[in-house]
Amino acid sequence: MGVPVVASGVVYTFGARYMLWGFLVPVMLHNLLLTYFLLGTHLHSRTSAEKDPVLGSCSFDMGWLTFFYLDAGRHAEHHVYPQTSHRKLGEVQAQVLLKTREKLEAL
């Protein structure tokens, strides 16, 4: 079942007003906030001569907002293992810290 079919069903069941204010506007606002956050993680990163994903990105502790941003605060871990689901990034963070501790301490 594709997105157009589901969207048509929601519009038919609840009306176009619900589809606009109950779904499209909240999704667009969330996407805008997430985009600015991710832009900040790239712009705040250190620059290095080598193309190292750990040195070229940064991670933030987002506290209780972690759930809402799908662990986007663990940005360096995402660049080291991009195929990893956001649910597993906590485990990946521990591995990345063990492997790169000397490199991070040198900074």
Side-chain angles (χ1 to χ4, degrees):
M1 209 158 38
V3 173
V5 174
V6 173
S8 298
V10 169
V11 169
Y12 178 77
T13 305
F14 298 107
R17 190 175 199 177
Y18 173 79
M19 184 69 174
L20 176 68
W21 296 108
F23 180 73
L24 289 177
V25 171
V27 166
M28 288 170 38
L29 288 174
H30 179 265
N31 197 13
L32 180 69
L33 292 173
L34 184 60
T35 300
Y36 278 118
F37 174 76
L38 292 175
L39 182 64
T41 59
H42 282 280
L43 294 178
H44 185 68
S45 302
R46 301 173 295 273
T47 56
S48 64
E50 57 188 280
K51 297 247 183 224
D52 189 347
V54 174
L55 296 178
S57 60
C58 60
S59 294
F60 295 105
D61 180 20
M62 299 179 64
W64 63 274
L65 290 173
T66 299
F67 172 77
F68 295 107
Y69 284 100
L70 301 177
D71 257 345
R74 293 187 173 133
H75 201 159
E77 295 79 8
H78 157 74
H79 278 281
V80 174
Y81 299 105
Q83 73 281 4
T84 304
S85 166
H86 66 90
R87 292 179 187 93
K88 299 282 185 181
L89 285 177
E91 300 167 20
V92 170
Q93 184 179 29
Q95 293 175 4
V96 169
L97 285 175
L98 285 175
K99 291 180 181 178
T100 60
R101 186 167 303 280
E102 297 87 24
K103 191 183 295 186
L104 292 174
E105 288 175 356
L107 296 172

